[in-house]
Amino acid sequence: MSIVVMKFGGSSVADADKIRACSARAIEARKAGHKVVMVVSAMGDTTDDLVALAKQITSTPSKREYDQLLATGEQVTISLVAMAMEAMGQPAISFTAGQIGMVTDDKHTKARIKRIDVQKVLRELKSGKIVIVAGFQGVTEDGAVTTLGRGGSNVTLVAIAAALKADMCENYTDVDGIFTADPRLVPNARKIDQVSYDEMLELASLGANVLHNRAVEFAKKYNVPIHVRSSLNHSKGTMIVAESEEMERIVVSGAALKKQLARVSLRNVPDRPGMAARIFHTIGAADIVVDDIIQTETTNKLAAVSFTVDMGDITDVKAVCEKLCSQHAGMTVEFKTDLAKVSVVGVGMRVHTGVAQRMFAALAGAGINIHNITTSEIKISCIIDQVQGPIALRLIHDAFDLGKTPGKAKAKKGRK
Ligand code: ASP
Ligand code: MG
């Protein structure tokens, strides 16, 4: 009998009716002859509400107590789901992470799973029950409750699927799958049938907020294919799988837009070993997450270093950079706000050429100025003015015919 692990996120279990609907969905899989494990998130905005509640008490809660609080959201859902199933005549049992020995390290609020004792789960499955597991949480060797980071129920899903060597790992959401671009911005965006782990990682970090990156990394490491699909219908969603040669025939798989960015440009940076390390150590120590970094050599042993950050971090980044400038004679800093990043992603870029040119031409054709360009092996990103973000996204989506069912790539072989 095959094992299916199905995960339902917060919006899919937001109220009693939705909990009943998800439970019915799991029962359907059980009746079809599968052994079913269900991973659930906290109902609706519960986790956000708990965060807000903690803030009302103190702005500096200890991480241990913060996790203790946040993990309660999922505990509510698992018991309600089990009750819903029992009410429908389906034997079921719910478990917290601690009850199935889901041991993590002690890095509260972003703990990593070390092991899962699956014997208990297997025993219950064997007896015919549906097993419901609380997502997002873990437990340290000492028994303290941990959480895996926001959106971490997906990590639970993949970890359980890997530990059980499940035949299917399904992520149920309120969308039909992963799209070639955000359908709210690009009306002709199309559902992608399959996407590689690496493409998914790039798309997620580019603002296509579908799956927690740690979940995808975990899935890649243990080679667990994830099926992202809708809980509202039965159509096939998107498979996130290991890269195949066939995927390389498609030059670009998706396009994404990340808004609310600011660019920081440090000029007259002494061009000597250790400077970049010093700058980014100082910025990292202030808990500022840095996006693309560009360093160019100018003249007289001086360099220019620029990088992008979230607009929300601009006050902090200003303080840090101004301090750095005060410590190095001649060094200056400039900020440019209200920027966005449009990107195209595709493993096909490894073998096809002309991708960058096609993207730049699409933007140029509409008079959109590119402030910065960065690339990785499977991604090209352009920093542009934020107001032009949505139109730029539509333009590049069209430039690569992403709205059409993919055929064979016409581009020449080579790089970018
Ligand atoms: N409930 C947690 C959150 O909202 C975990 C999750 O939903 O995956 O971040
Ligand atoms: Mg949630």
Side-chain angles (χ1 to χ4, degrees):
M1 219 195 295
S2 60
I3 300 180
V4 188
V5 187
M6 338 170 65
K7 180 247 165 182
F8 293 85
S11 58
S12 303
V13 292
D15 57 37
D17 283 339
K18 288 184 174 165
I19 284 184
R20 269 189 286 269
C22 294
S23 305
R25 191 80 189 233
I27 293 172
E28 215 176 277
R30 176 77 197 93
K31 294 231 162 93
H34 304 294
K35 290 180 174 160
V36 180
V37 178
M38 193 166 158
V39 175
V40 287
S41 295
M43 294 169 69
D45 297 329
T46 303
T47 312
D48 289 331
D49 296 344
L50 292 169
V51 169
L53 206 49
K55 276 206 185 113
Q56 285 180 37
I57 302 286
T58 167
S59 56
T60 52
S62 72
K63 290 188 170 175
R64 183 191 185 279
E65 298 311 327
Y66 194 72
D67 276 354
Q68 183 90 305
L69 174 70
L70 260 53
T72 60
E74 273 68 15
Q75 192 167 337
V76 171
T77 322
I78 53 168
S79 44
L80 291 174
V81 170
M83 287 176 203
M85 289 187 182
E86 285 169 354
M88 290 183 227
Q90 168 63 48
I93 183 164
S94 71
F95 289 125
T96 60
Q99 289 170 329
I100 53 162
M102 178 156 339
V103 175
T104 68
D105 60 20
D106 58 3
K107 300 274 182 304
H108 282 286
T109 76
K110 46 175 186 291
R112 287 186 183 265
I113 298 171
K114 294 210 280 195
R115 60 174 187 275
I116 305 173
D117 175 12
V118 288
Q119 289 318 315
K120 209 164 176 179
V121 175
L122 288 171
R123 219 178 308 132
E124 298 294 348
L125 288 175
K126 210 168 168 196
S127 78
K129 284 185 191 144
I130 291 180
V131 174
I132 304 125
V133 176
F136 179 53
Q137 52 177 255
V139 68
T140 64
E141 303 279 2
D142 292 341
V145 174
T146 53
T147 64
L148 311 177
R150 294 305 306 270
S153 299
N154 291 316
V155 180
T156 311
L157 162 73
V158 178
I160 298 231
L164 289 171
K165 299 192 174 52
D167 302 271
M168 276 175 274
C169 170
E170 301 185 317
N171 186 321
Y172 285 85
T173 71
D174 46 11
V175 292
D176 284 343
I178 315 288
F179 281 72
T180 49
D182 184 342
R184 286 167 302 185
L185 298 173
V186 182
N188 64 340
R190 192 178 40 79
K191 194 196 76 204
I192 309 174
D193 289 336
Q194 55 173 14
V195 68
S196 72
Y197 297 121
D198 288 337
E199 287 170 321
M200 199 57 232
L201 288 168
E202 289 283 12
L203 286 168
S205 69
L206 295 173
N209 223 336
V210 197
L211 260 189
H212 200 292
N213 263 4
R214 291 245 310 263
V216 183
E217 276 161 14
F218 210 105
K220 182 182 174 185
K221 186 166 167 198
Y222 293 96
N223 200 14
V224 178
I226 310 173
H227 187 181
V228 177
R229 59 190 306 190
S230 170
S231 58
L232 308 170
N233 59 51
H234 283 77
S235 46
K236 201 173 163 293
T238 302
M239 291 301 299
I240 307 175
V241 291
E243 192 175 323
S244 68
E245 255 177 49
E246 186 196 328
M247 284 178 172
E248 289 187 346
R249 270 196 254 130
I250 301 167
V251 184
V252 165
S253 297
L257 173 67
K258 193 171 181 184
K259 290 190 282 193
Q260 296 292 330
L261 295 176
R263 186 181 62 188
V264 182
S265 308
L266 288 163
R267 298 190 207 288
N268 302 329
V269 179
D271 191 7
R272 59 164 192 259
M275 262 323 278
R278 165 121 203 236
I279 293 171
F280 292 103
H281 169 78
T282 318
I283 289 167
D287 261 340
I288 298 161
V289 178
V290 168
D291 210 12
D292 302 309
I293 301 172
I294 299 176
Q295 169 166 335
T296 45
E297 196 184 345
T298 48
T299 44
N300 296 333
K301 295 232 169 271
L302 292 173
V305 175
S306 74
F307 54 92
T308 43
V309 293
D310 272 348
M311 286 270 278
D313 285 335
I314 194 77
T315 322
D316 291 349
V317 95
K318 265 188 178 158
V320 171
C321 290
E322 273 154 17
K323 188 158 174 223
L324 275 168
C325 288
S326 72
Q327 293 161 349
H328 297 276
M331 195 160 127
T332 59
V333 63
E334 260 172 53
F335 304 94
K336 190 165 173 57
T337 56
D338 297 302
L339 298 174
K341 176 160 91 170
V342 273
S343 312
V344 289
V345 170
V347 293
M349 272 181 223
R350 291 205 179 108
V351 291
H352 296 286
T353 181
V355 183
Q357 181 273 333
R358 226 204 283 185
M359 177 173 184
F360 304 153
L363 297 176
I368 296 174
N369 190 29
I370 303 170
H371 300 301
N372 273 54
I373 300 167
T374 52
T375 64
S376 81
E377 212 186 349
I378 63 163
K379 173 199 79 170
I380 303 174
S381 300
C382 295
I383 301 284
I384 57 171
D385 284 339
Q386 177 153 281
V387 284
Q388 296 174 317
I391 172 82
L393 182 66
R394 283 195 284 276
L395 284 168
I396 59 172
H397 189 265
D398 283 347
F400 290 97
D401 291 331
L402 290 175
K404 297 184 189 141
T405 317
K408 278 199 174 183
K410 289 193 199 78
K412 283 180 266 156
K413 290 266 179 186
R415 275 272 290 141
K416 282 191 186 118

